[in-house]
Amino acid sequence: MVTKRDREREKGDSSASMAAKAAKGKVWEEERPDTGMDELLAVLGYKVRTSDMPDVAQKLEQLEMAMGTTMEDGITHLGSDTVHYNPSDLSGWVQSMLSELNTASPSSNFDAISNQTAGSSSTTMIDFSNGKQLGDQCKIYNDDSEYDLRAIPGGAIYRSDKESDRGSGIKRMKSSSLEPEFDDSLTVAAAESARPVVLVDSQEAGVRLVHTLMACAEAVQQENLKLADALVKHVGFLAVSQAGAMRKVATYFAEALARRIYKIYPQDSLETYSDILQMHFYETCPYLKFAHFTANQAILEAFAGANRVHVIDFSLKQGMQWPALMQALALRPEGPPAFWLTGIGPPQPDNTDALQQVGWKLAQLAETIGVEFVFRGFVANSLADLDASMLEIRPSEVEAVAVNSVFELHRLLARPGAMEKVLASIKAMKPKIVTFVEQEANHNGAHFLERFNEALHYYSTMFDSLESSGLTQPNGQDLVMSEVYLGRQICNVVACEGTDRVERHETLTQWRTRMDSAGFDPVHLGSNAFKQASMLLALFAGGDGYRVVENDGCLMLGWHTCPLIATSAWQLAGGDS
Amino acid sequence: MVNLLQNGDVCMEELEEEAPMFCINDNEDVLVEILRRLDGRSLGSAACVCKMWCGIARNDALWEHLCFRHVSPPPSGVRPVVVALGGYRRLYMVCLRPVLSRLGRMRVGLGGGESDLVRRVWTRQEVELSLSLFCVDYYERLLGGGGKLTDAPASSLMFLCKTVNV
């Protein structure tokens, strides 16, 4: 099957290049009769109408692009599974391959839209569109009013001062794929645009992709769901033509938008596999390691001189943060203190006691390095369910308390009053230090569109940084799992609302205001933490891109000029030393 | 000693009786002293020479010396922790060598060989970072091995094993 495919591709190549040259020249169209079959291809056994030649050439180019950029797994099935009924109908089988490829490309684990084009095999679309016939869907595309992008308000896709026959370019769509035949005025518009557009690559398709995403979000904000639906499919098609980070980001955002449009939210609890996904994220890139090391440094400094210490961890997960702290405590000149750890985690769907297992492993480590260790696990659906009195905290003369949270506090903003309650409980614990690490972005704005744009910028940068570390690490699975981990966050930010939307990230400035008004004073993280963080980053391949920045006592880790996460430390106001 | 043979030729004879042949394998303490001065890569090669050299070269004390001989002041109280977490040889192979070679290269800007590592003074923070990563490595093996320790390097430190175009 491989050889046959190669042979066909070869022919495809030659006809594509030939047709491309011919189309540009526009000479031979006038010389040959319109209704005849192309003679040269007929010699090879393909029946293609001369009038169809430019279309076929275009499709072949797209097929080549798509095959080149689709992941390995996406194309192997083409060799064995695709059935071609009439191989001499070059146009037909290229089209069927194109639509098959689009079925295979996005990598989500949800049963969301995977076929983004209105190709002949768009069976998945029917499930989501309330039993609409395929014909209806094609009607959407042929309906000019939906597709005339000049109709979209706002400058996202089309600047009103640029007149062009964009409409006619789109109309040429028969029953098959959309041709992104926008003219160059769009690129000019993008360059002039004052919006903070993420231009990950300079090709036209990349710019169009971003603009289409933003236009789709605008349509969703305005409740123009028909237009949004059409645009989201277009995004899927454009995404296939991209490579690398841009494509993945676009795919995840398109999927999230589609979920929002069709109101299909993930049924399974997002807690399943979240620990595993976070482990892979931990291994692939330095963000979590940075978070752990900087928070640990602050805690270590706060614990100087204490003989009993108690850490309350709001985000225990697999407990990856604590071995390093325990080791640092063990090697203190005055010897290790007695170390109590209270870990808080969500209930597990399979009823296993994940917290106890983690506690057991940590205890083994502690015994190995000679640190007196006690572990307590608390299962809670939300941090707001906890009370300081439940945690058996001893008075501050006896033990020094630290409260730690990595990427957990923002979830409390989903329910009104929860944040205040938790901050009050933290104060009741009388901690020596409170450390938390949060994403440095505002994904909690009042309007959907601004959240969407912020998220698009943020996650594009994140995926970019993952991509660069992915180049030097052979373990592809880690990278994919990390992307799924981020993809879930994207889905939550874009598709969910109300108490379901838990990924309510806020910027450091916003957190500062909140902590200040809750009665906390900032603790500066110090140069030790900065040096250690810089060293840690220097170890990472692609380390050139990562930057540690000190921001008024807090440390931020970012990719090039864009800060992505921030660590900050706090103590009770009034100087509780 | 020059001998005059009957046919008039001159030949030199081995002076076997005068000084005993020095075989390094008979003098383990000298061997240890020599090996102590080697860098990590050479020490590893030395372990491949023969069984006896392997036994000596794998002695953790040698690797301890290698790890911290250029750290000033040498960290105290570290030994029980390091030994418990897997030993100095593992510390060197899994953490110290990659950490220091990467950081050294970044600082100097040249592709220094292993011997450069030996002469370089390691800062306290580099050592601390390596120890922390070593502890994380141990913990990950605990997590992954289901309670038992496996010998494979943990995934989170894989980034240290890969070559880097710095």
Side-chain angles (χ1 to χ4, degrees):
Chain A
M1 199 57 209
V2 174
T3 43
K4 182 171 185 239
R5 186 150 43 100
D6 283 348
R7 186 168 58 90
E8 286 169 348
R9 269 200 82 196
E10 264 181 306
K11 288 182 203 164
D13 277 345
S14 59
S15 73
S17 52
M18 186 175 74
K21 279 185 227 152
K24 281 173 189 148
K26 285 195 190 162
V27 173
W28 58 265
E29 265 181 319
E30 290 145 31
E31 290 175 356
R32 299 196 194 220
D34 237 348
T35 50
M37 299 292 172
D38 183 76
E39 282 173 16
L40 286 169
L41 283 178
V43 166
L44 294 170
Y46 293 109
K47 298 198 186 81
V48 183
R49 265 196 254 284
T50 342
S51 51
D52 289 343
M53 285 293 278
D55 282 319
V56 173
Q58 199 99 33
K59 277 188 221 162
L60 282 166
E61 275 177 359
Q62 283 159 20
L63 183 60
E64 195 172 358
M65 248 196 322
M67 283 176 101
T69 54
T70 309
M71 312 259 277
E72 275 295 309
D73 310 328
I75 27 177
T76 48
H77 80 278
L78 284 178
S80 42
D81 291 350
T82 324
V83 180
H84 303 300
Y85 288 106
N86 186 4
S88 65
D89 176 14
L90 185 58
S91 169
W93 68 252
V94 171
Q95 180 49 43
S96 67
M97 285 187 92
L98 263 179
S99 39
E100 290 243 14
L101 266 180
N102 287 323
T103 318
S105 65
S107 58
S108 72
N109 53 356
F110 301 116
D111 276 334
I113 295 166
S114 45
N115 182 358
Q116 310 279 356
T117 65
S120 47
S121 55
S122 50
T123 45
T124 41
M125 298 310 291
I126 297 178
D127 295 338
F128 294 118
S129 45
N130 306 320
K132 262 199 228 173
Q133 289 301 311
L134 195 53
D136 282 357
Q137 302 218 333
C138 289
K139 277 197 204 131
I140 292 178
Y141 290 88
N142 291 331
D143 184 353
D144 290 343
S145 65
E146 303 296 331
Y147 254 82
D148 188 355
L149 294 179
R150 284 169 286 191
I152 299 174
I157 255 203
Y158 180 72
R159 298 286 240 176
S160 52
D161 44 333
K162 299 266 188 283
E163 271 303 330
S164 68
D165 49 335
R166 182 170 293 127
S168 62
I170 303 162
K171 273 184 220 166
R172 188 170 54 80
M173 60 186 82
K174 307 178 180 86
S175 64
S176 56
S177 47
L178 300 168
E179 318 282 19
E181 277 301 302
F182 297 4
D183 62 27
D184 288 333
S185 65
L186 180 60
T187 328
V188 176
E192 292 172 353
S193 165
R195 292 165 85 115
V197 173
V198 176
L199 292 185
V200 177
D201 78 40
S202 52
Q203 290 174 12
E204 265 183 57
V207 172
R208 248 178 263 142
L209 181 56
V210 172
H211 280 216
T212 316
L213 274 169
M214 297 203 301
C216 186
E218 250 184 278
V220 168
Q221 161 119 333
Q222 286 148 6
E223 309 271 325
N224 187 350
L225 295 183
K226 244 189 170 187
L227 175 59
D229 168 45
L231 284 169
V232 87
K233 290 172 194 160
H234 193 50
V235 168
F237 177 77
L238 284 174
V240 174
S241 68
Q242 294 296 298
M246 192 62 220
R247 178 169 98 196
K248 295 172 192 175
V249 173
T251 312
Y252 280 114
F253 272 92
E255 187 189 301
L257 279 169
R259 283 184 174 275
R260 197 184 176 94
I261 295 168
Y262 296 115
K263 302 191 177 19
I264 294 174
Y265 307 114
Q267 287 303 314
D268 48 317
S269 158
L270 286 177
E271 292 307 327
T272 21
Y273 311 122
S274 74
D275 275 6
I276 303 176
L277 291 177
Q278 199 180 54
M279 271 302 279
H280 285 274
F281 184 66
Y282 179 87
E283 285 158 16
T284 318
C285 49
Y287 300 107
L288 276 178
K289 289 194 184 75
F290 168 85
H292 292 170
F293 275 67
T294 46
N296 281 348
Q297 191 61 35
I299 296 175
L300 192 64
E301 285 167 12
F303 280 171
N307 281 328
R308 309 193 81 90
V309 302
H310 187 168
V311 173
I312 297 160
D313 189 5
F314 283 171
S315 49
L316 186 69
K317 302 282 163 117
Q318 295 286 299
M320 294 299 292
Q321 183 171 354
W322 308 116
L325 181 67
M326 287 203 274
Q327 175 263 315
L329 288 173
L331 292 178
R332 279 198 325 185
E334 63 265 36
F339 182 60
W340 281 41
L341 176 64
T342 302
I344 298 165
Q348 294 297 307
D350 49 355
N351 279 335
T352 54
D353 199 345
L355 288 178
Q356 277 308 117
Q357 288 176 4
V358 170
W360 171 241
K361 300 273 163 66
L362 285 170
Q364 269 185 282
L365 172 67
E367 196 186 320
T368 310
I369 59 177
V371 175
E372 191 189 322
F373 179 73
V374 173
F375 176 81
R376 283 237 159 67
F378 275 92
V379 173
N381 261 313
S382 160
L383 294 173
D385 298 339
L386 287 173
D387 219 319
S389 51
M390 294 178 201
L391 300 175
E392 288 182 38
I393 297 172
R394 289 167 294 180
S396 29
E397 304 82 49
V398 178
E399 72 178 11
V401 176
V403 177
N404 179 80
S405 152
V406 174
F407 298 151
E408 280 297 318
L409 278 187
H410 59 260
R411 296 167 166 256
L412 295 168
L413 297 171
R415 279 198 283 151
M419 189 76 213
E420 292 72 23
K421 179 161 188 284
V422 170
L423 287 177
S425 334
I426 294 179
K427 280 165 75 175
M429 297 172 199
K430 298 212 187 44
K432 194 97 188 294
I433 191 162
V434 179
T435 52
F436 62 83
V437 184
E438 285 290 326
Q439 288 92 343
E440 175 63 13
N442 184 0
H443 296 157
N444 199 16
H447 298 296
F448 171 71
L449 189 57
E450 70 180 85
R451 289 203 305 268
F452 183 87
N453 289 338
E454 281 282 329
L456 186 58
H457 185 68
Y458 181 84
Y459 285 104
S460 300
T461 317
M462 261 290 195
F463 270 77
D464 258 353
S465 71
L466 274 188
E467 198 72 10
S468 82
S469 65
L471 287 173
T472 44
Q473 288 192 348
N475 193 349
Q477 193 196 21
D478 263 345
L479 185 60
V480 171
M481 300 286 242
S482 314
E483 287 163 3
V484 173
Y485 171 78
L486 291 174
R488 282 192 176 186
Q489 290 181 8
I490 292 172
C491 192
N492 193 275
V493 174
V494 172
C496 301
E497 280 302 337
T499 48
D500 283 335
R501 179 160 63 89
V502 291
E503 300 292 343
R504 294 181 183 246
H505 311 147
E506 288 196 347
T507 60
L508 184 60
T509 323
Q510 288 168 291
W511 285 107
R512 279 204 177 114
T513 320
R514 181 172 288 123
M515 294 300 276
D516 220 26
S517 50
F520 288 93
D521 279 345
V523 173
H524 283 217
L525 283 173
S527 58
N528 266 337
F530 183 86
K531 273 189 228 163
Q532 207 180 41
S534 307
M535 263 201 286
L536 182 66
L537 290 176
L539 295 178
F540 269 84
D544 285 345
Y546 294 111
R547 298 260 181 277
V548 184
V549 174
E550 190 263 355
N551 179 325
D552 204 16
C554 302
L555 287 182
M556 298 218 245
L557 172 59
W559 177 252
H560 291 119
T561 54
C562 182
L564 292 173
I565 68 174
T567 307
S568 55
W570 304 86
Q571 63 187 357
L572 292 174
D576 192 355
S577 60
Chain B
M1 195 157 139
V2 178
N3 276 349
L4 195 58
L5 293 180
Q6 287 164 351
N7 55 4
D9 284 352
V10 174
C11 76
M12 296 284 283
E13 271 184 8
E14 298 287 335
L15 299 170
E16 285 184 24
E17 324 80 8
E18 293 195 7
M21 277 257 288
F22 181 82
C23 177
I24 188 72
N25 280 2
D26 292 335
N27 297 283
E28 218 172 282
D29 45 350
V30 178
L31 178 59
V32 169
E33 276 305 307
I34 296 174
L35 291 181
R36 268 160 66 96
R37 285 156 173 74
L38 291 180
D39 61 312
R41 194 192 167 93
S42 311
L43 202 47
S45 307
C48 304
V49 168
C50 66
K51 259 199 193 157
M52 182 197 159
W53 281 48
C54 185
I56 295 176
R58 287 200 171 188
N59 186 345
D60 219 31
L62 269 179
W63 294 90
E64 175 181 3
H65 185 73
L66 172 64
C67 284
F68 292 133
R69 68 182 162 212
H70 290 285
V71 177
S72 164
S76 55
V78 169
R79 184 183 305 156
V81 174
V82 174
V83 168
L85 292 178
Y88 282 93
R89 185 162 66 98
R90 192 182 166 87
L91 172 65
Y92 185 80
M93 295 308 292
V94 173
C95 296
L96 268 180
R97 185 170 61 102
V99 166
L100 294 168
S101 69
R102 290 225 186 143
L103 294 182
R105 218 168 279 158
M106 293 204 76
R107 243 196 268 162
V108 175
L110 302 166
E114 183 99 6
S115 48
D116 285 355
L117 276 183
V118 175
R119 278 173 246 124
R120 199 173 156 299
V121 176
W122 305 342
T123 66
R124 189 173 58 90
Q125 270 144 353
E126 284 164 341
V127 171
E128 278 174 6
L129 182 62
S130 308
L131 288 172
S132 298
L133 290 174
F134 191 50
C135 196
V136 173
D137 164 66
Y138 179 87
Y139 181 66
E140 265 199 311
R141 285 186 293 140
L142 260 187
L143 279 184
K148 282 178 295 190
L149 287 181
T150 55
D151 239 351
S155 329
S156 80
L157 297 185
M158 283 304 242
F159 71 95
L160 287 178
C161 302
K162 298 302 146 195
T163 51
V164 169
N165 279 336
V166 175

